[in-house]
Amino acid sequence: MYIIGSHIITPLGEGIENNYQAILKGLTAIKWYNDPRLLSEPFYASLFPQTLNYSRQYSRLEQLCIDCAKVAIQQSNIEPSKRTVFILSTTKGNIELLQPDYDIETISPAYSVKRIAGYFGNHTTPIVVSNACTSGVCAQITAMRLLQTKEYDYAVVIGIDLLSAFIISGFNCLKVLSNEPCRPYDNNRKGLNLGEAVACMVISRQPTSDCVSMRAGSICNDANHISGPSRLGEGSMRVLKSVIKDFDTTDIAVINAHGTSTMYNDEMESIAIERAGLARIPVNSLKSIFGHTLGAAGILESLITIRALKDGIILPTRNFNQLGVSRNIKVSNEIRHTDKRAFIKLMSGFGGCNAAILYSLEQTSERKVQPEINIKTIAQQSLTSEHDNLESMYRLHVTDYSKFFKMDKLSRAGFIATELIAGQRGIHEDCAVIIFTSTGSLANDLNYQKTMNEYPSPALFVYTLPNIVTGEIAIRHKLQTETSCYLLPEKSWSDMEIIVRATMAASQCSQALYGWLDATENGYAADLRLAETN
């Protein structure tokens, strides 16, 4: 697959070239803020100016996505209304608009991407990828797979998150915000800085002049903990090994890693890189320039790295001075020059997610043909709050997993439905977990919001990511396989099964647990299936 158009908007400027030149000048978008509307104490972050104007027809988030996509689509010279799928990568979407009497079509990212696609005259079912911090990389991988099915000719992939009191208070209560500009991999790192950005790429099956090749992508859960990475870097190591399979690693210029500046993430990545046999390759992080831009990060950081590599440059890791991880990875705070033409983008996130993509500046005629597969349902389970009490069903069918009572409603519904399916047929160790929803974690978002102003609850905040349900299922069943969460405007088995078939073909898993989950403050619905390939 090939990137044929792209654009970014960040607090550092608009356009890839402007941002790239600013980085070369040693600039950073991270600043000190004292805004009680966002946090009661001063903090470092990268924020858009509050003076920016937006149309009343769209939310601030939607307008930024449209503005960014316009440029990328124009650059790619495609007709976005025809045989094109729109994919939005975001963790919290329009969460700044959340009110107790919220309208699901205003808040849910599934409807935001529908409005964004509609602006361009596109009426194909749009998709939201909400896989925590890996969302941007996972969205690109999803695009690659859907294009390989030949259902579409193009994919417009947009990544965005905007900071609000909801998001900032959540990271603050988790004690991961730094009170100074962040220092990826540094011995004196104290935590992360958050950031805002929007980034877009147009992906095609056919190359154009000066386009970039997406060689391979991989998604894997480490089945360790919903908010903590595997200490051995198991998931990140697996995705790294997967994307370099059958590739000459001597042509890899850099691993553009997650590099959040948190103690455990940076350490885990160093271990994963060494275990994957890539410790000799330079590693950098752009978080100390843009901050952690959440759903935009995987797209933004990939595009900036592509631009630098076209100049034969490996960008420095700003604020890095002394290696502060246990493995001897090659992090540098200086510009490096290279003649190599490929790089890896690596990400990890809550819910046990890990993802990586291998990019190359070389256009290649080699193309992995994704086999056409059919799936058959071997077990299924439907539950609704109207007929089924989740706590009673736990006591009747499970009893040995008390962590169930810490879960949010969405995770409980998915957990119980999965347990009943596992009791029917059994779940293989290579089973993928693919959950679809339209409401996401909104029921729990309201619960967390009630705690924000006095005693923000970290236990509640973790469950404000809808992909956490996939992590809970992976941990319970020890599934170090692919897990993903997608938001769709409506429940559609045909749309879900396109993604399921593409996932099973790409990951070569023998089973997939997939289906629909929704939870509101008034109830829930779960409709899951266990499928195998014919």
Side-chain angles (χ1 to χ4, degrees):
M1 299 300 124
Y2 302 92
I3 301 171
I4 62 171
S6 55
H7 192 59
I8 63 174
I9 307 172
T10 81
L12 204 54
E14 180 167 357
I16 295 171
E17 189 64 28
N18 287 337
N19 277 266
Y20 173 61
Q21 294 299 329
I23 295 170
L24 293 182
K25 293 175 183 176
L27 301 180
T28 176
I30 295 173
K31 298 179 181 178
W32 183 87
Y33 291 91
N34 187 4
D35 188 345
R37 294 171 301 175
L38 294 176
L39 192 65
S40 59
E41 57 197 80
F43 62 98
Y44 279 89
S46 169
L47 302 177
F48 284 122
Q50 294 299 308
T51 55
L52 291 179
N53 294 318
Y54 302 95
S55 164
R56 292 186 178 182
Q57 185 177 357
Y58 301 99
S59 70
R60 191 165 70 110
L61 177 139
E62 292 157 6
Q63 187 65 58
L64 274 168
C65 288
I66 289 169
D67 292 346
C68 191
K70 275 183 187 177
V71 179
I73 289 170
Q74 184 178 22
Q75 185 185 115
S76 66
N77 199 32
I78 70 166
E79 174 48 65
S81 65
K82 298 177 180 177
R83 291 187 57 80
T84 301
V85 60
F86 276 72
I87 302 175
L88 178 65
S89 160
T90 187
T91 63
K92 295 309 300 175
N94 282 324
I95 195 66
E96 64 183 356
L97 304 179
L98 182 63
Q99 300 294 332
D101 59 345
Y102 70 86
D103 173 11
I104 183 64
E105 294 199 12
T106 299
I107 298 297
S108 172
Y111 295 95
S112 287
V113 72
K114 189 174 182 179
R115 286 188 285 272
I116 294 163
Y119 174 89
F120 294 97
N122 183 284
H123 300 291
T124 300
T125 300
I127 300 165
V128 176
V129 177
S130 193
N131 243 23
C133 301
T134 66
S135 296
V137 170
C138 292
Q140 295 175 63
I141 294 171
T142 298
M144 292 168 64
R145 292 172 177 176
L146 290 178
L147 294 184
Q148 286 172 336
T149 68
K150 300 186 179 179
E151 292 278 343
Y152 313 97
D153 293 329
Y154 306 103
V156 177
V157 183
I158 309 167
I160 189 169
D161 266 303
L162 300 178
L163 298 182
S164 60
F166 186 102
I167 292 173
I168 297 172
S169 72
F171 278 89
N172 191 51
C173 77
L174 291 174
K175 307 297 183 186
V176 294
L177 294 186
S178 173
N179 60 1
E180 61 181 36
C182 66
R183 300 170 172 270
Y185 305 106
D186 190 82
N187 190 54
N188 295 313
R189 66 190 185 277
K190 296 181 179 179
L192 60 82
N193 306 139
L194 292 169
E196 296 181 319
V198 57
C200 178
M201 59 173 62
V202 180
I203 303 173
S204 170
R205 287 202 307 273
Q206 301 299 324
T208 60
S209 60
D210 198 35
C211 67
V212 175
S213 174
M214 307 169 75
R215 298 291 298 265
S218 180
I219 304 169
C220 180
N221 201 293
D222 59 31
N224 177 68
H225 191 276
I226 59 170
S227 61
S230 161
R231 297 294 179 89
L232 297 178
E234 187 67 28
S236 288
M237 181 271 293
R238 286 174 180 242
V239 295
L240 286 170
K241 282 192 170 183
S242 176
V243 298
I244 62 174
K245 184 180 179 182
D246 303 322
F247 187 80
D248 183 0
T249 59
T250 61
D251 195 40
I252 297 175
V254 64
I255 299 171
N256 177 238
H258 197 23
T260 60
S261 304
T262 55
M263 294 301 294
Y264 292 134
N265 179 86
D266 289 8
E267 171 67 8
M268 175 277 290
E269 284 191 307
S270 78
I271 295 171
I273 290 167
E274 183 186 73
R275 290 183 66 197
L278 302 174
R280 70 186 184 283
I281 296 174
V283 175
N284 71 355
S285 168
L286 299 176
K287 296 296 190 298
S288 45
I289 296 170
F290 297 109
H292 188 347
T293 56
L294 305 175
I299 302 170
L300 167 68
E301 295 167 8
S302 296
L303 291 174
I304 290 293
T305 305
I306 287 168
R307 176 62 189 89
L309 201 57
K310 286 182 176 180
D311 277 356
I313 284 177
I314 299 171
L315 291 171
T317 301
R318 185 183 175 90
N319 302 331
F320 171 81
N321 292 304
Q322 181 182 357
L323 190 66
V325 293
S326 65
R327 308 306 163 97
N328 190 27
I329 57 174
K330 299 186 181 303
V331 184
S332 174
N333 58 7
E334 298 178 347
I335 289 176
R336 296 188 184 197
H337 296 274
T338 181
D339 59 357
K340 298 180 180 182
R341 306 280 289 171
F343 77 95
I344 296 171
K345 176 64 197 159
L346 176 65
M347 299 289 277
S348 61
F350 282 6
C353 302
N354 301 270
I357 294 182
L358 173 66
Y359 305 83
S360 174
L361 301 189
E362 304 293 345
Q363 295 182 24
T364 173
S365 59
E366 297 178 15
R367 183 177 302 167
K368 291 184 179 179
V369 178
Q370 182 168 296
E372 293 186 11
I373 66 169
N374 293 314
I375 58 175
K376 60 179 179 179
T377 299
I378 61 172
Q380 60 188 78
Q381 185 66 55
S382 296
L383 303 170
T384 66
S385 51
E386 184 178 352
H387 300 105
D388 304 293
N389 180 280
L390 294 173
E391 289 73 19
S392 297
M393 297 188 76
Y394 167 84
R395 293 185 174 94
L396 181 63
H397 297 286
V398 186
T399 73
D400 65 341
Y401 203 72
S402 59
K403 188 185 174 187
F404 168 83
F405 294 100
K406 296 181 180 180
M407 298 179 192
D408 70 317
K409 190 183 298 182
L410 188 76
S411 296
R412 289 186 184 191
F415 180 87
I416 292 295
T418 300
E419 291 302 290
L420 295 176
I421 286 175
Q424 294 176 45
R425 291 298 296 262
I427 294 177
H428 296 175
E429 64 178 9
D430 70 340
C431 180
V433 181
I434 312 165
I435 295 300
F436 300 86
T437 177
S438 65
T439 58
S441 57
L442 280 173
N444 192 62
D445 292 347
L446 285 168
N447 292 333
Y448 173 74
Q449 191 178 58
K450 293 173 184 176
T451 75
M452 277 173 45
N453 293 329
E454 294 188 15
Y455 300 102
S457 168
L460 287 176
F461 182 71
V462 170
Y463 287 97
T464 63
L465 293 168
N467 71 296
I468 295 299
V469 59
T470 67
E472 292 287 19
I473 293 168
I475 293 167
R476 168 64 166 172
H477 293 278
K478 300 179 175 59
L479 300 175
Q480 292 182 329
T481 52
E482 178 163 338
T483 61
S484 291
C485 179
Y486 298 94
L487 277 71
L488 300 176
E490 291 90 24
K491 179 180 179 180
S492 166
W493 287 106
S494 60
D495 288 325
M496 286 188 268
E497 287 172 358
I498 291 172
I499 294 175
V500 171
R501 289 195 300 271
T503 300
M504 294 185 76
S507 62
Q508 298 182 332
C509 56
S510 66
Q511 285 185 337
L513 175 72
Y514 74 100
W516 190 260
L517 286 177
D518 265 331
T520 67
E521 64 271 30
N522 298 319
Y524 74 88
D527 193 354
L528 300 189
R529 298 178 178 181
L530 184 65
E532 292 182 351
T533 57
N534 276 334

